[in-house]
Amino acid sequence: SNSFVLYEPLEKVDNNKKETILINEPEEPKEFDIDKIVEVDDEPIENETLETVPYMMIQNVPVFKGCEGLDKEENKLCFDKKMKRFVQRNFDAELASELGLNSGIYKIRTQFIIDEKGNIVDIKIRAPHIKLKNEAQKMILKLPKFTPGMQGTKAVKVRYNLPISFKVD
């Protein structure tokens, strides 16, 4: 059985610390082989153009469908919660066991831009297997249109990093 681990974006940048949220946490944490973890760095996948603002730096984050009418802080919490729930519902974690991956924790790094019209563009994905990459892309393309992020009174492009982690038993 696959349980889902979703890494939340960290508020403060501390490269030595990873905060994880485990969903369907097993009663006993199982040991896994450290050699089987796929290492990924947390640098932006490619250099950004100046007019793109990272999600963590934006004054008003984009609005996820269903989070309309909230204040700045509530909207951010709503965005993160909706994004996490969206991944749980739309990412096929069963795929990992069908691919015959060794047991362990795998991480897919996805990054995309929510443009100034609220559309998702410029999707970049790193995954340990091409089929997982395709699954992540298919999922991102299902995201509803957003209300764009705002910097002052101007709608801007916002870069969002969405790491997806899952465990193969």
Side-chain angles (χ1 to χ4, degrees), residues 2-84:
N2 290 313
S3 58
F4 225 148
V5 187
L6 191 54
Y7 284 76
E8 296 273 69
L10 299 182
E11 292 302 325
K12 294 198 185 67
V13 179
D14 175 352
N15 292 330
N16 304 317
K17 195 174 117 212
K18 284 271 185 286
E19 288 176 11
T20 62
I21 302 256
L22 281 129
I23 296 131
N24 302 334
E25 197 161 351
E27 313 313 321
E28 287 285 292
K30 289 206 185 75
E31 290 300 308
F32 55 84
D33 185 347
I34 200 80
D35 299 327
K36 300 202 177 121
I37 292 190
V38 183
E39 281 298 319
V40 284
D41 58 324
D42 279 332
E43 290 306 303
I45 294 175
E46 261 169 42
N47 289 339
E48 287 303 314
T49 49
L50 287 172
E51 67 269 19
T52 305
V53 184
Y55 177 79
M56 300 314 262
M57 313 289 283
I58 187 88
Q59 281 178 351
N60 291 288
V61 302
V63 181
F64 202 112
K65 199 170 166 27
C67 297
E68 294 81 4
L70 298 173
D71 72 29
K72 204 162 128 176
E73 272 312 298
E74 284 175 338
N75 175 41
K76 193 165 182 308
L77 290 170
C78 187
F79 184 102
D80 292 340
K81 192 172 94 186
K82 289 263 192 185
M83 188 64 85
K84 197 164 83 195

Side-chain angles (χ1 to χ4, degrees), residues 31-162:
E31 290 300 308
F32 55 84
D33 185 347
I34 200 80
D35 299 327
K36 300 202 177 121
I37 292 190
V38 183
E39 281 298 319
V40 284
D41 58 324
D42 279 332
E43 290 306 303
I45 294 175
E46 261 169 42
N47 289 339
E48 287 303 314
T49 49
L50 287 172
E51 67 269 19
T52 305
V53 184
Y55 177 79
M56 300 314 262
M57 313 289 283
I58 187 88
Q59 281 178 351
N60 291 288
V61 302
V63 181
F64 202 112
K65 199 170 166 27
C67 297
E68 294 81 4
L70 298 173
D71 72 29
K72 204 162 128 176
E73 272 312 298
E74 284 175 338
N75 175 41
K76 193 165 182 308
L77 290 170
C78 187
F79 184 102
D80 292 340
K81 192 172 94 186
K82 289 263 192 185
M83 188 64 85
K84 197 164 83 195
R85 194 178 294 154
F86 182 86
V87 173
Q88 289 170 309
R89 289 185 181 155
N90 293 282
F91 185 81
D92 180 12
E94 293 301 312
L95 191 61
S97 48
E98 289 163 25
L99 294 173
L101 294 176
N102 294 326
S103 63
I105 292 179
Y106 292 87
K107 190 164 174 181
I108 299 169
R109 290 192 54 223
T110 75
Q111 178 183 291
F112 50 86
I113 288 171
I114 298 169
D115 73 10
E116 65 281 8
K117 297 187 183 73
N119 298 310
I120 289 179
V121 296
D122 198 19
I123 301 171
K124 299 188 177 85
I125 300 168
R126 283 189 187 150
H129 192 288
I130 185 71
K131 286 191 172 162
L132 291 169
K133 185 176 178 173
N134 294 342
E135 177 63 20
Q137 175 144 357
K138 201 171 81 182
M139 178 199 77
I140 291 166
L141 291 170
K142 284 187 197 160
L143 280 163
K145 191 171 166 146
F146 294 84
T147 305
M150 304 290 286
Q151 199 70 325
T153 56
K154 188 170 177 279
V156 289
K157 294 178 183 166
V158 178
R159 185 183 78 230
Y160 188 75
N161 288 306
L162 177 67

